[in-house]
Amino acid sequence: MNFVPQLERWLPDMVALLEESVNMDSPSTDKALTDRMIGWYAARCSEALQARVERVPNRQYGDRLAVRVGNGPRQVLLVGHADTVWPAGEAKLRPFRIDGDRAFGPGVYDMKASLIQALFALKLLQMTNRLPQQLSIVLLINSDEEIGSPTSRQWIESYARKSEAAFVLEPPMEPHGAVKTARKGSGRFLLSLEGRSAHAGVNPEAGVSAVEEMARQIIRLHAWSEPSRGIYVNVGVVNGGIGANVIADRATAEIDVRVQTMDDFRHFATRMNHLTPFHPEVRMSMTGDMNRPPMERTRQIGRLFEIARAAAWDQLNMGLGETSTGGVSDGNFIAACGTPTLDGLGVRGDGAHSPSEYIWLTELPRRAALLAGILERL
Ligand SMILES: [Zn+2]
């Protein structure tokens, strides 16, 4: 059964809900606002679906939602987030607007439209009775994804371990809307160096320069990159020193590490924490860790992709590509639980995390049909 015509009839309803949700700010670090957003999603899911909607309180960041549709023994996850990278007041400055086939506004692409799309995909499956009886589909919505899911990671993992597949509602890869079957893993570190200050003119030999040491460490760290193996080490922020005529006693650097395999992920956790100073009198400390394991393309992920590809032919009459990305998402740690994960099932558009972000409106019902078509085939 082709789902596109019905979803296209629902497009005005989808756009109305999209407008409402884009015009509600939901910055990750503002609990009051993300809670309000979560409350809105809970109400919309309860209205549109026959579902069990569970709101999970969270002390530090916004609450979370688990929306369960169907009650079969085979659990499948849809994973999305209610928070955006935009601060309070952003929606007032540049509210939802439509220009031709594109819709703009804070978080429209990452990922407010994708949640609306998932809602309508589920509604359609229920209305047409096409949801396989053995399935129960759980839509998880967290509120701290954009800051690395510090308070929701374990919660998502506990669902992942009991699920036979997970579909992440992050945007696909453009220009062709390919889904993501592999993601790099990443780590974040802070390197702090302490030397000894001295006057650069009077007694420079009494000093130990933390800035010079940092320069040598940066060259060493960057040399650990191996593009052919998908390894990148980037020192992205550097601070140090207080004046040109002072031997600097302090320097810090923020470091990002990307890896492609679990082996490299483990290796770099050790390697970064065993960095040693060049100068014997420099004191060094490294904090942080490798926090998002890579999503490696397993055979089961390949099998999920084949299901998605068949659904794309069936629903959209088009091929579906697959790709890998250096970006990370909650898909990383879901896959690390051993749960086959397909990422990039969100809406099509561009410009995530930038004021120019937009989605293609005609793709909204089409991607909803793709998602419904995949779930129908499980
Ligand atoms: Zn996102």
Side-chain angles (χ1 to χ4, degrees), residues 1-11 13-14 120 123-124 127-128 365:
M1 164 178 195
N2 194 284
F3 296 142
V4 175
Q6 177 57 49
L7 286 159
E8 282 179 340
R9 279 194 288 279
W10 279 339
L11 183 56
D13 302 340
M14 295 172 92
F120 279 82
K123 177 176 169 166
L124 180 100
M127 202 186 80
T128 55

Side-chain angles (χ1 to χ4, degrees), residues 75-93:
Q75 180 170 294
V76 168
L77 292 185
L78 302 181
V79 183
H81 59 88
D83 58 321
T84 73
V85 297
W86 302 104
E90 190 73 15
K92 268 253 152 54
L93 291 177

Side-chain angles (χ1 to χ4, degrees), residues 262-332:
M262 263 328 270
D263 281 350
D264 288 334
F265 182 79
R266 291 190 201 97
H267 175 53
F268 267 86
T270 320
R271 197 176 195 185
M272 295 298 287
N273 284 306
H274 285 81
L275 198 69
T276 51
F278 288 95
H279 194 292
E281 291 176 73
V282 166
R283 288 211 305 224
M284 168 180 283
S285 86
M286 182 78 89
T287 56
D289 58 8
M290 297 298 292
N291 53 359
R292 299 233 205 194
M295 176 172 128
E296 293 184 75
R297 189 193 193 281
T298 57
R299 272 232 323 278
Q300 297 102 302
I301 288 181
R303 207 182 60 86
L304 278 191
F305 173 64
E306 287 310 319
I307 293 172
R309 202 154 68 146
W313 276 119
D314 186 30
Q315 292 295 333
L316 309 179
N317 198 23
M318 64 171 249
L320 185 69
E322 66 173 314
T323 185
S324 69
T325 171
V328 293
S329 82
D330 286 345
N332 287 73

Side-chain angles (χ1 to χ4, degrees), residues 24 28 53-54 56 76 103 307 318 324 373:
M24 292 170 74
S28 321
V53 179
E54 186 198 357
V56 183
V76 168
I307 293 172
M318 64 171 249
S324 69

